[in-house]
Amino acid sequence: MVEESDVRVVRFGGSKINLRPPIISTDSRFVLCTSGDSVKVYSTRTEEWLHSLQGHTNQVTGIALNPANHLQVYSCSADGTVKLWDFIDGILIKTFIIGYPLFAIYVSEKHEGIVFLHIAMDTDSKKEGFQLVAVHLPKSAEQEVEAKELSAVSSHISPNPSCTAFGREGQYIAFARNLQLNVYFFRKQKTYSFSLKATDKKGAKNAFTCIACHPTDDCIATGHEDGKIRLWRNFIHKKEYTYSTQHWHHNAVNTLCFTPEGGLYCEILFSSVFTHIFYYGVISDCFLVFHIPLFSSSEITVIESSFKVCGVIQGLVKGDAVLTDLMIDPRSKALVLNGKPGHLQFYSLLRDKHLYNLDIVQQEYIYEAGLDQFEVVKAAFDIKGYWLATVEERGQKSADLEFFLKLWSYDERTQSFVLNTTITAAHTDRIISMCFSSSEETTMLVTIAEDGQFKAWCQGVDDQNFWSCDFVGSYHNLKPTNCSFSADSSLLAVSFQEVITIWSPDTWELLTTLCQPPGVIRDLCFGRLSCSKYLISTTTRNLLCCWNLLTCAFLMDSFSGLYTVFVFKPNEPRPLFTHKNVCSEKIHRAVFVPREEPLNNCDESSQWLNRSQLYFLTQNMDLLTFSTATEEDRMLSSSTRLVIDDSVAVTPFYLLLGKHRQQQQKLNTPSHQAADRPQQPQGSVTITELLHTPAHVLPPASVLCSMFVSSLLISNTGEEDSEGEMEACDSQQELRVQGSVDEVTPKLSKAQERELKRVRKTDFSWMAGLIASKP
C-alpha cells in the first residue's frame, strides 16, 4: 500500500468553544476562546474569525490575559505547556514547558511572572484529585523554556475551574469543593475553611458549584446545586464570617461573575437537557452571553452595556448525533448536517462559521428529558441545489412511528429554502435512504424504505410545483438497503440485502442483478468521470466490492485497520493513499468537497487532493481534514497579506479599496508590457515590511523619519556627476514630451555631447544688453 508522504491530519474546525469561558480584550475589540488544540480570535463587531493561535499539540484547557501586557494572552494545554501569545498578530512569544497535563490557568496582577495551574494529583483512589500550583515563569531569551519551579498552593481542589477565583487585587484566592469553601491568604500563608451542611430543613442541596470574588471588596459569591447564591463577608476572621442566602432558581447555578463595577451576573442550569445561559461581566462597555441551547454546541452573543446584541459568534453546531450524511450545498458550498433539534445547519468551511439554520420540523421544541420528538434523519440535495428533500420521524418502535417526506425549493428572493410539498404517507415503514438523479434536465427523487419498496418521485407535467409518485418497485420481498444514480442518470442501482438490482429510469425495466459475496450491503455508489462505469459497494463483512458494468467483471478486496482511511480509484485495486491511526476516535462521517482552485506542485502520493478535499467527522463531532505541505505554504503566504479581507466589514471604503486592488492585479498581469508598469522604488520591500509591522514593536517615529528622509536625498559626489544626472533627467523629460519610450531619437556621439555641454556653459548674458539697447 502507498503510505502518506507530505499529507497530515489537521483539525479544521468544529471544536468546542464552551470548554472554558471566553475572554474579551481590554479594548473590547476581540473575543478569545478555546477551540480544540488552538485559541480562536474573533472580532466583537464584525463577528468574523480573524485567526487562530496554533502551536499546542493537545486540547487547550485554559486562557487568561497577561496582566503585564494587555496585548498578550496565556494559554495552557493538556500537552503540559503554557504558551504566551501576541493575540493581535497571532505570534507565539514563548513556550513554558511544565511537564504535567494542565487543566486550568489563573493569573493575578499582584503576582507578576507567576501563573497558577490545575494539575492532576497522583492518587490511588478512584476519584481523580487535582491540586493548585504556582509556577514561576523564568525569564530567558530562548523561545522554549522549562519551568520546573512549582509551589503547591492547595490540594484536593475541585476539577471545575469555575470553583476557583482570585480575591481583591490578588490578596487571596478562594476555592470550593463539595460542601467546603477555602480561602488562602498569600501574606499570612494561611487557609481558612468554611463548611455547609449537606441539606437544610427543606432538603436543599448545598454543594458548591461555582465561585466569584468581588474586584474591590472583601466579598465572595458562591453558587449551589439548589439554585441559591450566597454572599460571604468578614471571612478574614475565621470565627466571625457571615453569609447571606438569596434564592435564584430551582436548578443549579453554573457560573458567577462580578463586573468591574461590582455588579453580579450568574449562569443558571435551567433543566437537565443541556440548556445553559452564561453571563460574563468583563468590561464596562460590553459583556458576553455564552449560550448553549439544548446541545453540546456553543454560541457566543456579544451584548453592549445598553443590552443591545451587537454580534453572535457560532461555529459548527454539535447535536447529540449526525443522523444525516455530510452534504455540500451546491449553491453556497456550505457543509450541511444536523444542527439544533429539528433543524439543518449550513456551515461555511471556508470561514469556519455557522451561516444559518433551516427549520425542518417547524414545531416548538419542548425542553423535557426523555420526551420523544421529531428529528431530521435524512436529507439530500439535487445536483443544481434547487431542491432539498428531508425526512423527519418520531417514535423508536414501528407501531408508534410517524414520519414525513418534505421537498423544499430554493427561493431567490429570500436566499433560502421554502417548503414546497409535504408527503405524509410516502411509505408504510421507515425510510432508509434517498437520492436525487444526477441529470440537470429532469429532477427525480428515489426513496427506499423498510416496507421492501423503492419509489420514484417526479414533478408534475402541468404544474412544476407538484410532486407525485412515478414508479414503485421491489425485488422478491427483500428489504432494500441503499440506492444510487449513475453519473448520467441512465442507471439506478438499488441494493436488496445481498443483491444489487440495476434499473432503467426511462422505462423502469430491471436490466440485471448482481450477486454480492456474503454480507448485507451497506453503501452503494457509482464512479465519476473516467470511472463512471464502475459500481462500488461495501458490506457488513468489511468487504469492498467493485463491479464493471460494461463487462460485469467483479473485483473484491477486504479492508481493515483501526481508524484507517483508504483512498483508491475504482479501476485500480491498489489504494492510492492510506493513513493509519487518523485519530483516537471513530470516524463517523466523511465527504469530498471540490476546491475552488486546484492545487499544484503536489507529490505523486497526494495528487488525489488536487481538485477536492476530504473532510471527516469523528464520533465526538470534531471536524478533521487532510492537508498537504503545498497547501500549508499557500495558506501561510496568504496570511501575510492585509487582514482587511477577514476583519473589516463590507463598507463603501472597503469596496473602493477592493476595486483598487483588483486594478493593481490587472496592471501587474503578464499581458501588460514592462514599459507600461509603474516601476517600484528600490526600497519598496523595506517600506512594505515597515507598513505591515505592528506599531507597538517599531522604533520611535523620529528615528524612522530621519532614516526615511535620508534615503530620499541624492548624494553630491561631484559636479560632473550632478551634471550627468541632470542631463539624464532632461533627456528623459524630452522623451516624455516627444512621445512614448519606444520613439527614441538617435543617440549623440561623444563629440556632439561635448559640444552640447560647451554650448550650455557659454555665457549669453551679453545678448540681453543688445536686445535692451534696440529702439
Side-chain angles (χ1 to χ4, degrees):
M1 293 185 180
V2 180
E3 293 294 337
E4 66 272 15
S5 55
D6 64 335
V7 179
R8 69 184 188 93
V9 179
V10 296
R11 186 184 300 271
F12 181 80
S15 300
K16 293 181 180 180
I17 60 175
N18 64 326
L19 180 67
R20 294 293 182 265
I23 57 177
I24 295 184
S25 60
T26 308
D27 56 3
S28 308
R29 293 173 54 196
F30 306 101
V31 177
L32 290 82
C33 58
T34 62
S35 178
D37 54 5
S38 64
V39 179
K40 287 189 175 181
V41 182
Y42 293 91
S43 171
T44 56
R45 298 303 176 186
T46 64
E47 312 167 26
E48 294 294 326
W49 166 53
L50 304 180
H51 52 261
S52 296
L53 309 180
Q54 297 180 343
H56 287 289
T57 59
N58 207 332
Q59 176 73 51
V60 177
T61 55
I63 51 176
L65 291 175
N66 184 7
N69 190 332
H70 66 277
L71 300 178
Q72 298 175 357
V73 64
Y74 286 106
S75 66
C76 68
S77 170
D79 61 6
T81 63
V82 173
K83 293 182 181 293
L84 180 63
W85 308 84
D86 181 342
F87 64 87
I88 301 294
D89 302 312
I91 300 174
L92 176 60
I93 300 176
K94 196 174 292 293
T95 299
F96 300 96
I97 302 174
I98 310 300
Y100 302 96
L102 310 176
F103 299 94
I105 185 171
Y106 309 91
V107 294
S108 173
E109 296 182 1
K110 189 174 183 180
H111 302 82
E112 185 177 356
I114 299 176
V115 296
F116 297 84
L117 303 170
H118 273 195
I119 64 174
M121 295 179 59
D122 295 331
T123 175
D124 296 333
S125 61
K126 295 182 180 179
K127 295 184 179 180
E128 188 176 12
F130 290 85
Q131 62 178 337
L132 182 68
V133 297
V135 180
H136 295 263
L137 303 179
K139 296 182 179 180
S140 173
E142 301 293 332
Q143 190 170 10
E144 289 190 2
V145 183
E146 290 189 0
K148 299 299 183 180
E149 189 176 348
L150 279 68
S151 302
V153 178
S154 177
S155 302
H156 301 287
I157 65 173
S158 173
N160 182 11
S162 299
C163 290
T164 304
F166 272 95
R168 177 167 55 93
E169 298 178 354
Q171 295 183 7
Y172 55 86
I173 185 170
F175 44 92
R177 184 180 182 183
N178 297 331
L179 296 170
Q180 184 171 334
L181 172 65
N182 301 301
V183 183
Y184 176 80
F185 295 90
F186 290 99
R187 181 175 296 180
K188 298 180 180 179
Q189 294 186 355
K190 291 184 178 180
T191 301
Y192 292 166
S193 299
F194 313 96
S195 300
L196 295 175
K197 296 181 180 180
T199 57
D200 57 13
K201 295 180 181 179
K202 296 182 181 181
K205 299 178 181 178
N206 291 332
F208 291 91
T209 57
C210 55
I211 190 173
C213 296
H214 197 282
T216 58
D217 192 10
D218 290 330
C219 176
I220 299 176
T222 59
H224 303 268
E225 288 185 1
D226 58 357
K228 290 185 174 62
I229 297 176
R230 287 181 170 86
L231 298 177
W232 301 73
R233 297 182 182 276
N234 205 27
F235 47 82
I236 298 179
H237 308 284
K238 185 175 181 180
K239 297 182 179 181
E240 300 177 3
Y241 74 95
T242 61
Y243 67 82
S244 59
T245 304
Q246 300 180 14
H247 180 76
W248 182 259
H249 203 271
H250 66 280
N251 275 358
V253 182
N254 209 355
T255 300
L256 290 168
C257 184
F258 283 96
T259 64
E261 292 79 12
L264 179 63
Y265 291 98
C266 63
E267 171 213 79
I268 309 300
L269 179 62
F270 281 103
S271 61
S272 59
V273 261
F274 312 109
T275 304
H276 302 64
I277 296 181
F278 296 70
Y279 295 85
Y280 294 109
V282 183
I283 52 178
S284 58
D285 59 341
C286 71
F287 59 89
L288 286 181
V289 178
F290 194 77
H291 185 208
I292 310 179
L294 310 178
F295 34 83
S296 59
S297 170
S298 53
E299 174 183 297
I300 300 176
T301 304
V302 182
I303 298 180
E304 296 178 348
S305 57
S306 60
F307 291 93
K308 177 183 177 182
V309 176
C310 60
V312 177
I313 300 171
Q314 185 172 349
L316 185 65
V317 178
K318 297 183 178 181
D320 294 334
V322 179
L323 303 177
T324 64
D325 289 330
L326 297 183
M327 301 168 292
I328 299 297
D329 181 12
R331 286 180 167 272
S332 62
K333 310 301 180 184
L335 182 67
V336 183
L337 67 159
N338 289 102
K340 298 194 300 183
H343 292 69
L344 287 179
Q345 63 169 320
F346 288 71
Y347 168 79
S348 174
L349 291 169
L350 181 63
R351 309 187 71 84
D352 188 20
K353 181 180 180 181
H354 178 84
L355 299 180
Y356 65 94
N357 288 316
L358 180 62
D359 189 358
I360 303 298
V361 175
Q362 297 183 340
Q363 292 184 5
E364 192 69 26
Y365 191 85
I366 301 175
Y367 303 100
E368 183 178 343
L371 184 63
D372 193 7
Q373 305 185 63
F374 277 101
E375 294 181 345
V376 183
V377 294
K378 301 294 178 185
F381 287 94
D382 74 327
I383 191 172
K384 292 183 179 180
Y386 287 115
W387 292 97
L388 168 65
T390 60
V391 177
E392 59 191 72
E393 67 178 36
R394 176 177 64 182
Q396 299 296 331
K397 300 179 181 180
S398 299
D400 302 330
L401 179 64
E402 295 181 67
F403 62 92
F404 299 101
L405 173 62
K406 293 182 178 180
L407 291 123
W408 308 73
S409 61
Y410 187 79
D411 188 359
E412 295 285 353
R413 183 179 58 85
T414 60
Q415 296 291 300
S416 182
F417 288 91
V418 294
L419 182 60
N420 178 272
T421 305
T422 300
I423 305 174
T424 57
H427 289 268
T428 59
D429 207 341
R430 178 179 283 107
I431 296 178
I432 301 174
S433 180
M434 61 182 179
C435 64
F436 276 98
S437 64
S438 305
S439 175
E440 297 184 359
E441 299 177 356
T442 59
T443 304
M444 179 185 297
L445 175 68
V446 173
T447 60
I448 63 174
E450 293 183 351
D451 58 4
Q453 295 179 342
F454 72 91
K455 294 184 178 182
W457 307 86
C458 298
Q459 294 175 273
V461 178
D462 298 332
D463 189 359
Q464 293 296 324
N465 291 327
F466 176 74
W467 284 79
S468 60
C469 181
D470 184 65
F471 178 76
V472 178
S474 62
Y475 184 78
H476 294 293
N477 295 325
L478 296 178
K479 179 181 175 180
T481 56
N482 218 316
C483 59
S484 177
F485 275 97
S486 61
D488 57 357
S489 295
S490 61
L491 299 176
L492 171 66
V494 182
S495 59
F496 292 87
Q497 293 183 359
E498 299 180 1
V499 180
I500 297 177
T501 59
I502 308 297
W503 304 76
S504 173
D506 297 330
T507 61
W508 292 116
E509 176 186 0
L510 178 60
L511 300 179
T512 186
T513 59
L514 306 174
C515 296
Q516 292 282 117
V520 178
I521 299 170
R522 294 185 302 182
D523 303 294
L524 199 63
C525 181
F526 276 91
R528 303 292 178 184
L529 301 176
S530 61
C531 298
S532 59
K533 61 183 178 181
Y534 295 99
L535 178 63
I536 308 153
S537 66
T538 60
T539 69
T540 54
R541 298 288 186 90
N542 287 339
L543 295 178
L544 179 65
C545 307
C546 181
W547 293 87
N548 188 332
L549 297 180
L550 298 181
T551 62
C552 289
F554 173 68
L555 301 174
M556 180 184 67
D557 192 11
S558 61
F559 57 94
S560 61
L562 185 60
Y563 311 144
T564 303
V565 172
F566 297 87
V567 180
F568 62 93
K569 284 186 176 182
N571 57 349
E572 297 179 6
R574 184 181 181 184
L576 296 175
F577 173 81
T578 60
H579 198 294
K580 298 180 179 179
N581 299 324
V582 174
C583 56
S584 59
E585 309 163 18
K586 183 179 179 180
I587 299 175
H588 193 48
R589 306 280 181 177
V591 64
F592 273 100
V593 180
R595 296 182 185 272
E596 295 183 358
E597 297 181 1
L599 293 178
N600 297 319
N601 302 325
C602 289
D603 292 344
E604 184 178 356
S605 60
S606 57
Q607 290 293 326
W608 60 278
L609 283 172
N610 282 357
R611 297 186 177 276
S612 61
Q613 191 169 3
L614 178 63
Y615 293 88
F616 45 95
L617 199 66
T618 64
Q619 199 169 14
N620 289 336
M621 299 290 291
D622 288 329
L623 189 62
L624 308 178
T625 186
F626 287 112
S627 178
T628 63
T630 303
E631 186 174 11
E632 291 179 357
D633 293 342
R634 188 179 67 173
M635 293 176 62
L636 182 61
S637 62
S638 63
S639 64
T640 59
R641 301 174 185 170
L642 290 175
V643 192
I644 187 171
D645 293 334
D646 294 329
S647 61
V648 179
V650 181
T651 60
F653 179 74
Y654 168 76
L655 297 176
L656 179 63
L657 180 59
K659 182 178 180 181
H660 174 70
R661 293 177 63 186
Q662 292 177 1
Q663 293 176 353
Q664 288 294 112
Q665 292 176 358
K666 292 181 179 179
L667 189 62
N668 294 331
T669 54
S671 60
H672 291 76
Q673 296 182 359
D676 296 335
R677 299 179 187 174
Q679 299 294 330
Q680 295 184 351
Q682 293 181 356
S684 61
V685 177
T686 305
I687 295 175
T688 302
E689 293 181 356
L690 178 66
L691 295 177
H692 286 76
T693 304
H696 60 278
V697 297
L698 285 174
S702 58
V703 178
L704 297 177
C705 289
S706 60
M707 294 172 58
F708 179 71
V709 172
S710 300
S711 65
L712 298 179
L713 298 178
I714 301 175
S715 60
N716 187 9
T717 57
E719 184 179 357
E720 295 295 333
D721 294 340
S722 62
E723 289 181 357
E725 293 176 358
M726 291 177 62
E727 293 172 2
C729 294
D730 292 340
S731 61
Q732 293 179 4
Q733 183 67 23
E734 291 175 0
L735 289 175
R736 295 191 186 99
V737 174
Q738 293 176 4
S740 62
V741 182
D742 296 334
E743 301 174 357
V744 182
T745 57
K747 187 177 181 181
L748 299 178
S749 62
K750 293 183 178 181
Q752 292 175 338
E753 291 179 355
R754 287 194 296 269
E755 183 64 20
L756 184 60
K757 289 181 180 180
R758 187 185 63 78
V759 173
R760 286 183 176 179
K761 294 180 179 180
T762 304
D763 186 10
F764 293 99
S765 60
W766 55 274
M767 295 181 63
L770 293 176
I771 295 174
S773 63
K774 289 184 179 182

